[in-house]
Structure formats: structure tokens, C-alpha cells
Amino acid sequence: MTDVHGTVEPGFESVREVFAEVAADEARDGGAQLAVHHRGRLVVDLWGGDGVDGDSLLGLYSSSKGVMALIAALLVQEGVLDLDREVSSWWPEFAAEGKERITLRQLLAHRSGVIGADGGLSAEELADDRLIAARLAGQRPYWEPDTGHGYHALVIGALVGEVVLRATGRTVQELYEERVRAPYGIDYHLGLPEALEPRFRTALPLLPTPAEQAFLAANPIAPDSLMAVAFNFHADPPFDMVGYANSREVRERAPLSGGGIGTARGLSRMYAAIAGELDGRPPLLAPGTLAEVARIHSAGTDLVTGQENAFGLGFVPLATRYPSLSPAAVGHSGAPGSQAFADPATGLAYSYARRRFGFLAGPGAAENGRLIPAVVEAAAKAD
């Protein structure tokens, strides 16, 4: 059995018990972290597993989309960005190939159809948002914009990031550092400093069971599918998902679709700044802004994954996946199975991070379905 380390505040002991059950699973041998803030206080700070402690920096992949969504929402709130303005009005080159009427709202809701590039993106391009944006400016959409939705897995950060850059002269990474990470002391980084590299723990590949291996073998991703395009599996060579976070170039440049590095504690703290007051400061997003970005803008069958899902604006509305959460809960998952969110209705901010990839864990590893209800129940009793 894996030892569990860290602390919980009185009333949250049940969360530690559930986390211990998760950590005891030998499939979790890569290590995991769990951090929860409630009403601005860190009430759960746990870790366990080989080579991981509470300060270990992990590749949290698409969790960085939540940072992108936060910065975009702040700029909308301040009137710098207009959700219903065409992307091409800021970025004229994007108008090519019938994309001139795509709005920022449609883009954030994964409705643009611009999910990848014909022939695939190179490893160099995938490490650099500006190179991705330059490549996609002339790219045709893979479906008629706003007629459906599909996960823009590796490119939405670069697309939204280019809009932010054209509108403000600043990158999302710079705005996050100046307005969120540094002021709040958040241990989640878009651009990992060299000095912090010793704390980084490499991402580890899936260790499938025989049944999982058989499922994967029986359900290969077709090279001409939208899934292959969105995840760059149609490129030569295909996208190396595990190697992505393990690339120093990716960690340094921090492409917004998946290049953030941090701890569960750090990402929970970021969401705590959305969920309510933190350090005596008001929530980053006003109620009206939060309601708009949390509102479901896309729902139904995802054209890329073929699964039923929903998107708000950049954020994922998580009550559709975790019924114990309120409709106000917003966040984002990451490929190994990480999950993070803010639920302003309950004052909860949550981040679960794992080092090893889980089986089909991109929307959030299965253990989140056990951990989140335990957190919600404990918080309700604490109130």
C-alpha cells in the first residue's frame, strides 16, 4: 500500500480516507496529489506514490486551457475583448479559407472547426503557440463553423492566445504571470523557470491491464479521422503525448493547449481565486462574467471524440460530469487524468494531479468520481 502524506483540516478526514484508497491502487504507482481550498483556505493537501511529494511539479497538460479561459474571461470582463466580435477583426490573416465570420465566442466554445492542420503539426510547432497560429491562419475548418462542436485539443490555446496578443500586445502567458500567478503566489507555471527544473517529475505512460490493452487494440484511431487531426496523430511522426510534457522546450515555452507545469496545490489556489475571496481579495471573475463562461455553449456528441460532452467558454462546465457539483462549477481536466475546478456556489476549489497516464483519462481519471463527492460532502458539513 502506498503511504499517504500531507494534511487535512478537521472535518475533511473522509477525503484523506478516499485518497488513501486511490493511492493504494497499484495502477497509480506514478504518484498523485490532491489539494482543496474551501472559502479561501487550504483544507486538503495530500500526496502519495513513488517519487511524488507535495512540491513535485507535474505536467498537467490541458489544465492550461483553464488558465487561457481565465485570462480571456478577465479581458471580456474589462471590455478589452468582445465575445461576439469576429476573430479576424483582430487577426486579419485568420479570415482565409472561409473563417472570416468565426467569433471569439464560437472559438472558445470549440465550434470553429479549426482543430488542426492538414498534414499535421511538427514538434517544433506544437511547442510554440505563435508557430501554431501562423500555420492555422490559412487552414480550412474541418467542418462548417458553428454547426457543431469538437475538442480543439492541441490548438485552441494558440488560437485564443493569438487573439489576446493582437488585442493587447501581451501574451496570455505574460498576463497570467503578471495578474494571477505572481500576485497570488501560485505554484502553477506557464513557462517553467530553469531554477525549478529539479522539482519536475516526468510524465509516465499508461500501464494498461490486459483488458485495457485489448480494448485499445480493437479500437485504433483512424488516421483520417477528426480525432487523429485534433490530436496530431496524422502527422509524421505522430504526436507523442507522454513526451510532450517531458520536453524542456514545451515546459519553457508553455503552449497554452497543454504546456503548463505545476502542483495540485498551485492549481487549486488559482481556482480558489475564482471560487471566492482569497487573501482578502474579491473573486477574479464577477458573478455575471462567471455565469456567462460557465453557461453551456456546446453540448451533445463531440465531432472529434465521438463522446457526449459540453463546453462553456474555454472552461468545461463540470456539473454535467460530476453531479455533486453546482451548475456554476467550471474547470478543466488534463490528459493523465488530472482535474481542477472552481465551484463558487460552495466556495470550493479542487485540483487532483497524477503523474502516470490513466486509461482513457483525458476528461478526468475515474478516481475523481470518488474524490469529488467526498470533498463536496465534507465541505457541506463544514459550512
Side-chain angles (χ1 to χ4, degrees), residues 90-282:
W90 292 288
W91 179 11
E93 301 93 322
F94 187 74
E97 297 290 336
K99 304 194 300 297
E100 66 277 0
R101 293 191 177 180
I102 295 173
T103 65
L104 178 58
R105 184 186 300 274
Q106 293 163 0
L107 180 58
L108 283 164
H110 294 259
R111 303 183 67 83
S112 80
V114 188
I115 57 171
D118 294 338
L121 295 158
S122 68
E124 180 185 11
E125 287 171 325
L126 287 173
D128 189 323
D129 283 338
R130 297 305 308 285
L131 293 180
I132 295 174
R135 180 77 181 279
L136 295 184
Q139 173 64 44
R140 63 179 176 89
Y142 282 85
W143 62 82
E144 185 179 348
D146 206 33
T147 61
H149 75 280
Y151 188 38
H152 292 39
L154 296 176
V155 302
I156 192 169
L159 294 170
V160 175
E162 190 70 16
V163 171
V164 170
L165 179 62
R166 299 290 181 112
T168 69
R170 309 287 285 168
T171 66
V172 168
Q173 291 90 336
E174 289 169 338
L175 292 170
Y176 168 68
E177 177 67 22
E178 295 167 7
R179 301 189 57 176
V180 182
R181 199 211 65 78
Y184 286 93
I186 293 170
D187 198 17
Y188 179 80
H189 307 269
L190 292 181
L192 188 66
E194 183 72 33
L196 297 184
E197 277 289 324
R199 292 171 53 202
F200 174 68
R201 300 292 178 265
T202 55
L204 300 174
L206 171 71
L207 293 176
T209 65
E212 291 169 349
Q213 185 60 55
F215 177 90
L216 294 172
N219 294 276
I221 297 172
D224 60 347
S225 67
L226 292 182
M227 173 80 92
V229 173
F231 286 90
N232 211 50
F233 294 146
H234 66 317
D236 184 16
F239 178 54
D240 177 2
M241 192 171 292
V242 176
Y244 184 70
N246 292 340
S247 161
R248 172 57 192 163
E249 185 178 13
V250 167
R251 295 196 298 278
E252 183 176 22
R253 293 181 178 272
L256 290 171
S257 291
I261 305 293
T263 62
R265 189 188 299 143
L267 202 54
S268 178
R269 185 167 172 80
M270 187 197 83
Y271 277 103
I274 299 173
E277 288 191 6
L278 180 65
D279 300 341
R281 307 181 194 191

Side-chain angles (χ1 to χ4, degrees), residues 70-93:
L70 171 59
I71 296 302
L74 282 171
L75 295 174
V76 168
Q77 181 171 273
E78 293 162 1
V80 177
L81 295 179
D82 180 345
L83 289 169
D84 296 310
R85 183 172 160 183
E86 289 83 3
V87 170
S88 60
S89 68
W90 292 288
W91 179 11
E93 301 93 322

Side-chain angles (χ1 to χ4, degrees), residues 358-369:
F359 178 65
L360 302 181
E367 57 264 32
N368 287 288

